[in-house]
Amino acid sequence: MYRERALKVVLVLVGLLFSAGIYPLTMSLWKLDKSDYGDEMMLSLYVALGIFLLMAVRNPSANRSLIAFAAWSSFAHGAVMAVLAVHIASERAGFLTAVAALVLIGIALIVLAPAKQSGERASAAGA
């Protein structure tokens, strides 16, 4: 009971955090004065993921794969940023702060992820 409630709180917080990226995304695209839009493309994926995480709050068990994707993609993004922190000394503090946040998000989602339902286990065993 507490685990599911904690998962829902984490899903709401992470969903809102990721969805909040819509503001800097639209402001950046509105100006169109940069030559590299890689950050905006990545941010657009996080905004979409945030919206889906907010929708998953209603039934986390039915959205196990989405929750797992959010966790593992956070780990993957954090790993890339950790490598960048090694190579770009001037941005190291910002990268490492983001790495810490992404790892915490990933750990929280993995630890609180809903367990497989008994029907899923039985069908997986029979396959």
Side-chain angles (χ1 to χ4, degrees):
M1 183 66 156
Y2 292 115
R3 181 177 170 180
E4 184 177 355
R5 188 169 292 171
L7 174 62
K8 287 181 177 187
V9 168
V10 169
L11 288 174
V12 167
L13 292 175
V14 173
L16 289 173
L17 175 69
F18 287 175
S19 299
I22 192 72
Y23 180 75
L25 175 63
T26 55
M27 292 298 104
S28 178
L29 292 176
W30 187 262
K31 295 177 185 176
L32 291 176
D33 59 357
K34 292 193 224 173
S35 61
D36 180 26
Y37 290 99
D39 291 340
E40 286 79 4
M41 286 187 281
M42 190 67 185
L43 194 54
S44 69
L45 295 174
Y46 273 101
V47 169
L49 181 57
I51 292 167
F52 278 95
L53 288 174
L54 290 172
M55 292 176 7
V57 171
R58 287 187 170 192
N59 190 356
S61 296
N63 293 285
R64 290 180 66 245
S65 60
L66 173 70
I67 295 167
F69 174 78
W72 289 105
S73 66
S74 294
F75 290 141
H77 191 174
V80 171
M81 291 184 82
V83 171
L84 289 173
V86 171
H87 293 290
I88 306 173
S90 63
E91 300 290 327
R92 187 166 292 146
F95 281 138
L96 292 178
T97 302
V99 167
L102 289 167
V103 167
L104 284 174
I105 288 169
I107 289 171
L109 291 173
I110 291 292
V111 167
L112 297 172
K116 283 187 178 180
Q117 296 173 349
S118 58
E120 290 180 41
R121 289 184 188 142
S123 64

